[in-house]
Amino acid sequence: MSTAEQGHGAVSETPDRYGAFPRLTPEQLADLSAQGERRRITEGEVLYREGEPVREFLAILSGAVEILHDHGGPDERTVAVHGPGRFLGELGLLEGQAAFDTAVMRRTGEILAVPVERQRTLVDRDPVLGDLILRAYLSRRYLLIGLGAGFRILGSCYSPDTLRLREFAARNRLPHRWVDLEKDKGAEALLRRFAIPPEETPVVLWRGDRVLRNPSNAELARLIGLPAPGPSSGSGRCDVMVVGAGPAGLAASVYGASDGLTTVTVDAVASGGQAATSSRIENYLGFPSGISGGELVERAVLQAHKFGARLMVPAEVNGLTPEEDEYVITFTDGSRLRAGAVVLASGVRYRRLEVPGIDRLEGVSVYYAATVQEASLCQADPVAVVGGGNSAGQAALFLGHHASRVHLLVRGDDLNADMSRYLVDQVEQHPKIEVLLHTEVREVGGREKLESLTVEDNASGERRELPAAALFVFIGAKPRTEWLSGVLALDEKGFVLTGANAQAVADAHHWAALGRDPMLLETTLPGIFAAGDVRSGSVKRVASATGEGAMVIRLVHEHRERAGNLVRSAGPEGPRPAAGQPAPQR
């Protein structure tokens, strides 16, 4: 990217090669002016600083602004230089995060400052302006990530906690840079500079001088400004609580918020769920050339924010209790929220591969997702992928662009059994992918990291050793429903029962008092719905999860309407059952 020419006050503007730095029209600036104020800013004045929240949308009327990473520190560098007509900020401005860079006035001029709340209102009214800003912010976030801006994670590639922090940052699409203690030549200097003993790593370095020693995901989230439950949540209430921010949860968030329902969405790790780890989704309607899971999720998150949904990450739910025709949701940190309706969209987690000794390598060279983060660790090395479904096929194709060789290990004898035809064709034609049918992993080799696999042909019993620097496992999934045991009816595999299946095991007297049966996506408790992969009988596809997330909001409206009618029809003896329904037991 461009570097400012600071000799004698001269500043050259960064060209807009990526669509990240568009210029506002005079008409758009006039509309924004009605919502904000003009300010005269002198050369050298700081508009906002890295690590601090930004509360205003800033547009340049005259002069020039330089965007810097690590301002005043040893790694200071120019990210971009903007002139009249351009605007500042990136995704963090909309999502309430701290700034990942610093803006400095490099030529005296005038700035238009609009409070973020007013800017959001204007963007909602003007879709052209809204699309321009959102596209620019999305592009700027990816540029920052590519630059390695933001905070630094200093830790060993052999440390599970290092991987945890890197995964959290990557899945939440937070700009950061990883400094590997084992390979990065500058790691030792950083340790000495901050007086950090190697045994205290991993650490997060922020704003040049702040050090967090092996922080939890929640501590890192608070540092960046990600919204999460806590004391401030108190006894707050919302119309709809969505548990899980994958495709189903995000769709419910968008439709719930756009329908005027106060909507809170929580996730224990990051928005996007398993879909966000997909390198490319090629059969999603409307994207003929495909779209990465991360980009699809980022667009959905922006939509949810646009309509006013509140997303909280990380926020792990551990309790659900009926209370006065509503539900109280408790979190692992002890905070609580009350909701009129709850949408369970917590998805699934991949099953672990049961092989002796594999647990010591998990998070180091055995992974349950294949993203850029994991792929960067095994460039030019052979890797193995276990599984025969679409997730395994997508992972193999993605890794084929990084690894020297990809062994796809499939327990069955037919790749077409569980994988979509278009993926099968691509996998079979890829020059770096070797498909090994009726093959299972029996042993793992390597001390600090994976070096080889012992695999067995389950038809002949023959064993062989394969070189592999990493193992990626996609062998099915189990639902995230442990916390619902004893609260709702689950099927034998732990998936949530809904609709007719829920009705078959629900308390008939309880539902008779309401004058209805569980609706299509409703569970054994009224007002509690399930959508996406967590639901028993669901189609495990991104498109179907998105459809269920949208559909469930219509059912929430129906539940609210019927509950309101029931209250209005209540007499001295309580709510009357609908015609043809037995009276409730007392």
Side-chain angles (χ1 to χ4, degrees):
M1 299 187 73
S2 174
T3 300
E5 298 172 0
Q6 298 179 27
H8 305 292
V11 180
S12 62
E13 188 177 60
T14 303
D16 184 18
R17 297 192 182 97
Y18 309 100
F21 309 132
R23 213 176 297 279
L24 298 171
T25 66
E27 293 77 16
Q28 290 169 333
L29 285 170
D31 289 340
L32 285 164
S33 295
Q35 302 296 323
E37 65 174 2
R38 294 169 176 257
R39 296 176 188 162
R40 188 75 178 170
I41 310 295
T42 59
E43 182 177 336
E45 192 170 341
V46 175
L47 300 174
Y48 59 78
R49 294 183 184 277
E50 181 179 345
E52 297 177 358
V54 183
R55 308 297 185 190
E56 295 175 317
F57 172 85
L58 302 175
I60 305 169
L61 300 177
S62 63
V65 175
E66 183 180 10
I67 307 300
L68 295 160
H69 171 59
D70 195 31
H71 177 47
D75 299 322
E76 178 177 313
R77 55 180 165 161
T78 299
V79 175
V81 178
H82 300 304
R86 288 191 179 176
F87 54 91
L88 309 182
E90 53 94 46
L91 280 183
L93 179 67
L94 297 179
E95 299 180 0
Q97 298 172 10
F100 289 101
D101 45 37
T102 299
V104 180
M105 203 74 185
R106 283 306 182 205
R107 189 166 58 237
T108 297
E110 195 174 25
I111 295 292
L112 174 63
V114 181
V116 174
E117 295 74 17
R118 294 183 191 174
Q119 180 230 7
R120 284 176 178 157
T121 301
L122 183 61
V123 163
D124 288 343
R125 293 203 311 260
D126 187 342
V128 175
L129 177 62
D131 188 60
L132 177 76
I133 292 173
L134 293 179
R135 283 177 181 272
Y137 280 179
L138 190 61
S139 296
R140 292 178 190 183
R141 173 56 64 93
Y142 286 128
L143 285 174
L144 286 176
I145 291 173
L147 282 171
F151 57 91
R152 283 175 289 182
I153 298 172
L154 177 59
S156 168
C157 59
Y158 303 126
S159 164
D161 278 320
T162 298
L163 180 75
R164 170 182 58 79
L165 291 169
R166 293 184 62 225
E167 180 184 16
F168 181 79
R171 291 191 60 181
N172 282 285
R173 297 163 293 284
L174 300 174
H176 70 286
R177 181 161 64 91
W178 171 43
V179 181
D180 187 356
L181 285 179
E182 310 298 331
K183 301 175 183 177
D184 198 303
K185 294 180 180 178
E188 186 63 34
L190 282 172
L191 289 175
R192 288 197 303 268
R193 176 183 166 192
F194 293 99
I196 302 169
E199 61 270 18
E200 291 186 5
T201 59
V203 298
V204 170
L205 307 177
W206 178 240
R207 296 178 57 185
D209 58 358
R210 187 169 180 184
V211 179
L212 272 69
R213 286 169 166 77
N214 196 13
S216 66
N217 290 352
E219 289 171 331
L220 179 55
R222 285 196 294 270
L223 178 73
I224 303 305
L226 294 178
S232 60
S233 302
S235 57
R237 186 197 175 279
C238 60
D239 293 328
V240 184
M241 165 70 77
V242 182
V243 181
L250 288 173
S253 303
V254 168
Y255 281 88
S258 65
D259 280 359
L261 300 173
T262 54
T263 306
V264 174
T265 303
V266 301
D267 197 284
V269 179
S271 56
Q274 301 291 356
T277 66
S278 295
S279 57
R280 198 137 201 94
I281 303 171
E282 295 194 50
N283 58 354
Y284 192 76
L285 186 66
F287 293 91
S289 60
I291 184 171
S292 72
E295 184 178 356
L296 183 65
V297 166
E298 196 64 79
R299 290 169 179 261
V301 170
L302 284 175
Q303 275 184 300
H305 280 299
K306 172 185 174 182
F307 290 117
R310 183 183 177 199
L311 273 64
M312 301 194 301
V313 175
E316 186 173 358
V317 178
N318 66 354
L320 177 67
T321 307
E323 192 172 293
E324 297 177 355
D325 298 324
E326 293 188 331
Y327 294 93
V328 173
I329 297 92
T330 57
F331 299 89
T332 52
D333 67 356
S335 57
R336 294 153 53 94
L337 284 174
R338 177 185 291 268
V342 178
V343 176
L344 303 173
S346 49
V348 296
R349 62 168 62 91
Y350 286 114
R351 293 186 181 277
R352 296 176 69 252
L353 187 65
E354 298 299 331
V355 175
I358 199 172
D359 53 338
R360 62 184 171 82
L361 300 176
E362 288 180 339
V364 176
S365 49
V366 174
Y367 309 107
Y368 293 86
T371 68
V372 174
Q373 173 186 324
E374 291 83 17
S376 66
L377 299 176
C378 54
Q379 291 185 355
D381 292 319
V383 301
V385 177
V386 178
N390 281 358
S391 295
Q394 290 168 343
L397 289 169
F398 173 66
L399 293 166
H401 295 296
H402 300 269
S404 61
R405 188 73 172 166
V406 179
H407 305 288
L408 180 57
L409 314 180
V410 183
R411 183 173 60 178
D413 59 3
D414 184 5
L415 201 58
N416 290 279
D418 298 302
M419 191 179 295
S420 296
R421 184 68 234 177
Y422 81 92
L423 276 176
V424 173
D425 292 341
Q426 292 183 45
V427 166
E428 291 180 338
Q429 294 170 15
H430 199 290
K432 288 187 178 180
I433 299 177
E434 177 190 17
V435 180
L436 300 175
L437 299 176
H438 38 80
T439 300
E440 299 181 50
V441 178
R442 296 304 184 206
E443 294 178 9
V444 293
R447 295 181 63 83
E448 291 187 329
K449 60 177 295 187
L450 184 70
E451 296 175 2
S452 65
L453 296 171
T454 300
V455 298
E456 179 180 298
D457 184 316
N458 58 29
S460 66
E462 179 184 352
R463 292 195 175 193
R464 57 183 286 202
E465 188 172 289
L466 295 176
L471 177 64
F472 297 83
V473 181
F474 302 92
I475 55 171
K478 60 181 180 179
R480 301 174 181 267
T481 55
E482 298 87 350
W483 62 283
L484 291 170
S485 179
V487 179
L488 298 174
L490 311 174
D491 68 12
E492 66 279 1
K493 294 182 179 180
F495 292 89
V496 180
L497 295 175
T498 58
N501 292 329
Q503 180 185 349
V505 295
D507 186 334
H509 295 309
H510 180 71
W511 286 89
L514 300 175
R516 66 180 183 86
D517 296 324
M519 290 181 280
L520 183 63
L521 301 179
E522 200 166 20
T523 68
T524 47
L525 287 178
I528 305 291
F529 301 85
D533 290 0
V534 76
R535 189 178 68 82
S536 179
S538 67
V539 178
K540 306 299 188 280
R541 291 288 186 271
V542 174
S544 60
T546 303
E548 288 188 8
M551 185 194 312
V552 78
I553 295 301
R554 178 66 192 90
L555 301 180
V556 168
H557 281 300
E558 191 170 341
H559 163 71
R560 286 164 55 87
E561 182 180 349
R562 290 188 179 189
N565 291 337
L566 191 63
V567 170
R568 286 189 290 274
S569 69
E573 297 301 319
R576 295 191 298 270
Q581 295 287 344
Q585 297 290 315
R586 297 189 178 277

